[in-house]
Amino acid sequence: MFICSLLAAATAHAGNGPEFDAKHLSQDVKVLASDEFEGRGPNTAGENKTVAFLIEQFKAAGLQPAGDLLKGQKNVRSWTQDVPLGRFEIKGPVKLQLHDAKGNQELKQGEDMAVRAAMNGSKKVDFRNAPLVFVGYGVNAPERKWDDFKGFDLRGKLAVVLINDPDFETGVGDFGGKAMTYYGRWTYKYEEMARRGALGTIIVHETAPASYGWATVKNSNTNVMYDIVRKQPAMAHASMEAWIQRDLAVDLFKRGGQDFEALKKLAQTRNFKPVQLQGVTLTASYAVDAQTIVSKNVAGRVVGSTHPEQTVMYSAHWDHLGVGLPDAKGDKIYNGAVDNATGIAALLELARAYGKAPAPQRSVLFLAVTAEEKGLLGSEYYAAYPLYPLAETVGAINMDALSPYGPARNFTISGSAKLDLLDQLIAKAKQYDMVYAPDPKPEAGHFFRSDHFPLAKRGVPAISFGSGDDWIEGGLAAGHKSEEDYVVNNYHQPSDEWKAEWPFTGMARDLGLLYGLGRDLAESKDWPNWAQDAEFRIIRDASASKRR
Ligand SMILES: [Zn+2]
């Protein structure tokens, strides 16, 4: 009774938007997370069932197909976008050898270094005596007037680079202090060195700035790797992409006549210049098996009444881990109820609400992306090969692993970022008596680990919405307990299954907020942007002439 009256109050307060049905959310999660869908692994029978279900629901909601253009047709689209994915695996031993004045030293894959399968199209990585060059944090940030490279030519050389950004250790500076900018993320380091034509990138692992230990580095780099199929893979990946243990790196610097800590201090200033480790080189040799699979993003839209070429986006990933190793009970199906049947159920309910309402002025795209669990690849593919121009994409709201419980007094987004879209969400949330709870650990770089990010990186204002933890019933204690319980007992485990007792009333309430935000954007002529000092502002502003 107590919860019901609170809920009624919250709904009444929110006012005029559509009502979202907790029962629909529960039903959709139940279907998507059922054993029949086999954990929704890309390129499996589970994918076929999931994609068919999503198309059926989008159709019933009254959306238009918004995927790839059908062959030979100008305006007729399919419900899906093909997402070709490369699968890369190291075959046989990884040979790594260091050389210096004293002789040669064999390095162990996974122990001394963690080397990923090459994704630049090479079937074999094979080089001798490559020079090692320390490039500090490896950052080129024109908006911050910061350039670690100073014109140094990295071609044919291995770039040794620090993780996180230059002001992580000092806590104050031009890169948000403790909070991580994109320049701090390992993906940025790999991408920047590839753009500079380096032979390879070797990231020095340090636990605090990485925010995880060596075991994580080892596990996530020495297994099978996936990437979208790229027209020019060498522009995105150097031959060698690897991490090295800190103690070994410190020793290497010494052998090259350098002091690691002193150079690191220097790298925290604008005066830093690349330093070659004299007389130290690396030889590497390993074979790479590359295969291609094809998965699908599912896309439907409501076509805008006056500005159909301008797009507001909602997204969520449909994939999960599929069938894998059994848990203690012998269950092998990773159902992914919270992760991310909840986000897809939310996407479907939003689609139904938009389908029922009159079309807004701008178009609204509903995109269910694949292969998030393999590294945000469905969203990366969409962002690299967008169905609708990114320059005229107003904003994107992603949903991943929402809470199936009751409503909270707050909400969050993945990671920290400064953009108008977040300010608008915070303002809108006031109508629902909800406050914004910032990421308590901005140094971990969560902003770069969710499906909104491939769009953000290309300038599109984008966020991933997260459920609040200050529950109306039970407060922070109950919210935290439920989160911890999920992480320990269910996250990426076969036990992430639908439960009949989940009320879904929190999601239903939050969807009113997300609908309101998207609807406002879709009825407006405004183009929300990034904050002046946000790292994606320059990229967005470069296409400003296409937005009027
Ligand atoms: Zn996941």
Side-chain angles (χ1 to χ4, degrees):
M1 286 298 272
F2 176 62
I3 310 172
C4 287
S5 61
L6 271 174
L7 263 179
T11 314
H13 198 253
N16 40 26
E19 296 282 313
F20 290 91
D21 191 338
K23 284 197 207 77
H24 288 170
L25 295 169
S26 181
Q27 179 58 29
D28 287 338
V29 171
K30 185 181 180 184
V31 170
L32 289 158
S34 66
D35 282 356
E36 231 188 287
F37 281 65
E38 298 176 33
R40 305 186 306 280
N43 198 39
T44 66
E47 160 157 4
N48 298 340
K49 282 190 181 140
T50 306
V51 169
F53 176 74
L54 291 177
I55 293 173
E56 182 188 296
Q57 296 304 317
F58 277 174
K59 262 187 201 164
L63 302 189
Q64 300 295 314
D68 291 327
L69 284 165
L70 290 179
K71 273 209 180 88
Q73 311 238 24
K74 252 194 195 146
N75 270 320
V76 189
R77 290 182 179 271
S78 139
W79 283 101
T80 57
Q81 176 182 40
D82 274 357
V83 179
L85 298 174
R87 179 191 185 281
F88 307 89
E89 189 172 16
I90 291 179
K91 284 282 168 207
V94 176
K95 194 188 158 208
L96 299 165
Q97 202 174 40
L98 271 175
H99 318 281
D100 63 13
K102 288 193 197 130
N104 305 326
Q105 178 190 354
E106 298 289 334
L107 300 184
K108 268 211 188 93
Q109 160 76 329
E111 304 302 319
D112 301 312
M113 284 179 73
V115 178
R116 304 210 292 189
M119 293 186 270
N120 67 339
S122 315
K123 294 263 177 221
K124 188 157 176 68
V125 174
D126 201 5
F127 57 79
R128 295 189 166 272
N129 293 99
L132 297 161
V133 179
F134 178 56
V135 297
Y137 289 88
V139 170
N140 176 33
E143 79 287 0
R144 288 165 165 85
K145 303 195 170 41
W146 191 288
D147 174 16
D148 284 329
F149 301 98
K150 310 283 193 300
F152 192 97
D153 185 359
L154 283 173
R155 279 173 295 179
K157 304 185 180 80
L158 298 166
V160 179
V161 64
L162 298 167
I163 192 66
N164 216 308
D165 42 35
D167 63 5
F168 171 78
E169 279 199 352
T170 58
V172 277
D174 298 296
F175 294 84
K178 276 260 170 233
M180 193 195 273
T181 67
Y182 187 51
Y183 301 110
R185 189 97 171 109
W186 58 264
T187 50
Y188 170 78
K189 317 281 180 188
Y190 285 164
E191 289 163 5
E192 185 62 28
M193 303 319 148
R195 281 193 284 270
R196 289 171 181 275
L199 176 63
T201 309
I202 302 176
I203 302 172
V204 179
H205 174 257
E206 296 186 277
T207 302
S211 86
Y212 37 76
W214 180 259
T216 302
V217 168
K218 175 181 170 177
N219 294 339
S220 49
N221 284 275
T222 58
N223 54 1
V224 176
M225 306 302 305
Y226 289 87
D227 191 19
I228 64 169
V229 171
R230 297 175 193 271
K231 288 184 185 125
Q232 293 177 292
M235 298 291 285
H237 299 285
S239 286
M240 172 180 264
E241 293 175 323
W243 290 66
I244 189 167
Q245 292 267 28
R246 183 185 185 277
D247 289 351
L248 178 57
V250 170
D251 189 46
L252 273 186
F253 276 60
K254 204 188 251 171
R255 290 192 242 172
Q258 301 292 341
D259 181 83
F260 177 79
E261 283 301 331
L263 274 189
K264 189 206 260 183
K265 283 265 157 355
L266 197 57
Q268 291 162 2
T269 72
R270 285 190 169 78
N271 298 329
F272 176 82
K273 283 198 294 280
V275 178
Q276 184 157 344
L277 303 180
Q278 294 301 333
V280 188
T281 60
L282 184 75
T283 290
S285 176
Y286 45 93
V288 177
D289 175 63
Q291 307 281 341
T292 303
I293 61 170
V294 179
S295 186
K296 283 175 162 56
N297 290 336
V298 184
R301 70 174 185 155
V302 170
V303 179
S305 57
T306 54
H307 294 289
E309 74 289 356
Q310 301 176 2
T311 302
V312 174
M313 264 180 87
Y314 290 100
S315 64
H317 75 86
W318 62 253
D319 69 301
H320 193 59
L321 304 173
V323 178
L325 292 174
D327 65 6
K329 290 179 193 151
D331 188 355
K332 288 189 286 195
I333 300 176
Y334 289 67
N335 305 77
V338 165
D339 181 11
N340 183 31
T342 55
I344 289 293
L347 189 73
L348 294 177
E349 266 298 275
L350 284 166
R352 290 170 194 134
Y354 275 93
K356 267 185 220 142
Q361 298 189 21
R362 289 165 156 167
S363 295
V364 182
L365 175 67
F366 299 86
L367 186 70
V369 296
T370 181
E372 186 272 350
E373 304 287 4
K374 302 195 178 335
L376 313 181
L377 295 178
S379 53
E380 175 68 21
Y381 191 84
Y382 180 88
Y385 304 102
L387 295 163
Y388 305 95
L390 298 187
E392 289 177 279
T393 299
V394 184
I397 303 161
N398 184 60
M399 297 161 291
D400 195 351
L402 302 175
S403 160
Y405 296 99
R409 294 183 187 91
N410 58 0
F411 71 94
T412 189
I413 64 163
S414 299
S416 61
K418 286 191 276 181
L419 66 170
D420 300 332
L421 195 57
L422 176 59
D423 297 341
Q424 288 166 340
L425 180 62
I426 292 170
K428 189 107 215 147
K430 289 206 176 101
Q431 296 172 19
Y432 293 80
D433 288 330
M434 289 165 74
V435 296
Y436 169 53
D439 184 347
K441 227 182 148 222
E443 65 273 23
H446 289 294
F447 189 75
F448 319 116
R449 302 194 199 176
S450 218
D451 279 317
H452 70 284
F453 184 63
L455 290 159
K457 169 164 96 164
R458 289 168 176 88
V460 178
I463 50 175
S464 276
F465 178 85
S467 309
D469 57 0
D470 185 7
W471 290 6
I472 289 176
E473 200 193 14
L476 283 167
H480 287 171
K481 187 175 174 293
S482 140
E483 273 173 17
E484 276 163 32
D485 179 65
Y486 175 71
V487 169
V488 174
N489 298 316
N490 305 115
Y491 174 69
H492 282 197
Q493 296 171 43
S495 56
D496 183 2
E497 290 179 325
W498 174 83
K499 291 180 184 63
E501 65 267 27
W502 281 345
F504 287 95
T505 43
M507 267 174 72
R509 194 275 317 262
D510 291 354
L511 283 179
L513 169 61
L514 296 182
Y515 178 89
L517 177 66
R519 188 87 203 179
D520 286 355
L521 290 172
E523 297 289 14
S524 149
K525 291 190 169 59
D526 292 346
W527 297 97
N529 205 335
W530 299 89
Q532 253 340 311
D533 60 345
E535 58 266 49
F536 313 112
R537 172 80 184 225
I538 286 186
I539 308 165
R540 186 60 166 174
D541 285 350
S543 65
S545 65
K546 294 185 179 139
R547 292 182 291 279
R548 268 164 293 141

